[in-house]
Amino acid sequence: MAKGILGKKLGMTQIFTAEGRVIPVTVIEAGPNVVVQNKTVENDGYNAVQLGFGAVKDKHVNKPMKGHFAKANVKPVKFIRELRLPGASEYTVGQVLSADVFSEGELIDVTGTAKGKGFAGGIKRHNFARGPMGHGSKSHREPGTIGSRMSGGGGKVFKGKKLPGRMGGQKVTVQRLQVVRVDVPRNLLLVKGAVPGPKGSFVVVRNTVKPVK
């Protein structure tokens, strides 16, 4: 069954197996989540469940969202996302979900916002090669010619051309990560490998769309 949960990335650490093998893991605080809204094909045109996670002060919630939470009779939350699940009707408004929706050994996909790195050149952003480093060279790390006439004539440069620009800060999904351990009392998921985003950033955890390699 398709399922998911919202969480917060706490950082990375390592654990040891019974055989003494070290495993690098990312610790995700997965829950508690509250079901804020249940969308159906009849009312909204699609099936989805709207989950909320994270405490927030009332003064930081605007009036439309206050009404949204009051209608669901739930406390305001900071992070809200919709998950399009085939079995969305199985969830009820006000229901609380915890980390035990996943179990050890399951494969998951984690979506988060990558770290923003600011304005970066072509070498750092696109792994371009540098020019000669001799004193006579006038182009060490510059992008050089971009072949604009080859891109359609008339000096036009199409969108998507690999050039210097803002790097990072985009939505990233890492697939087929394995849940190594589930700490239900503390609502923690220990996931093998790295997860996008800095410490303290919100993530969405779903069961993987690629269960078989």
Side-chain angles (χ1 to χ4, degrees):
M1 182 187 80
K3 54 189 176 181
I5 197 169
L6 311 183
K8 181 169 67 173
K9 177 181 175 180
L10 300 182
M12 291 196 71
T13 183
Q14 58 187 18
I15 61 175
F16 292 87
T17 63
E19 297 79 17
R21 188 166 55 93
V22 63
I23 300 178
V25 295
T26 301
V27 182
I28 299 176
E29 182 185 351
N33 284 189
V34 60
V35 178
V36 180
Q37 187 179 8
N38 196 348
K39 296 195 173 183
T40 60
V41 176
E42 294 77 14
N43 295 332
D44 306 284
Y46 61 97
N47 289 321
V49 57
Q50 190 179 88
L51 300 179
F53 169 72
V56 63
K57 294 181 179 179
D58 288 339
K59 66 178 182 179
H60 294 152
V61 182
N62 56 29
K63 286 186 178 180
M65 291 307 298
K66 284 183 180 179
H68 187 58
F69 293 132
K71 183 179 179 180
N73 196 22
V74 298
K75 291 183 178 180
V77 289
K78 188 173 184 179
F79 185 56
I80 296 179
R81 286 295 182 273
E82 278 188 8
L83 302 180
R84 294 205 179 193
L85 305 177
S89 58
E90 300 176 4
Y91 298 89
T92 58
V93 175
Q95 180 182 352
V96 178
L97 306 178
S98 57
D100 57 1
V101 297
F102 293 101
S103 58
E104 295 182 8
E106 278 193 88
L107 296 178
I108 59 174
D109 296 341
V110 181
T111 302
T113 302
K115 291 182 180 180
K117 302 180 184 300
F119 192 94
I123 292 179
K124 181 176 180 180
R125 192 182 187 205
H126 299 297
N127 200 27
F128 286 173
R130 63 167 174 80
M133 297 304 290
H135 286 215
S137 171
K138 302 298 181 183
S139 177
H140 302 305
R141 297 178 66 91
E142 290 83 353
T145 179
I146 59 174
S148 57
R149 291 187 62 84
M150 296 171 58
S151 300
K156 179 179 176 61
V157 179
F158 289 130
K159 288 183 179 181
K161 189 75 173 175
K162 291 182 178 179
L163 291 171
R166 176 175 284 185
M167 181 179 177
Q170 73 272 24
K171 180 179 173 183
V172 177
T173 299
V174 179
Q175 296 180 324
R176 288 184 60 83
L177 297 175
Q178 186 180 16
V179 178
V180 178
R181 190 174 297 171
V182 180
D183 189 340
V184 178
R186 294 189 291 177
N187 277 321
L188 298 180
L189 291 178
L190 273 62
V191 180
K192 183 179 179 181
V195 166
K199 294 178 183 178
S201 61
F202 292 109
V203 295
V204 180
V205 181
R206 302 181 182 88
N207 53 341
T208 185
V209 295
K210 297 181 178 179
V212 181
K213 259 192 175 180

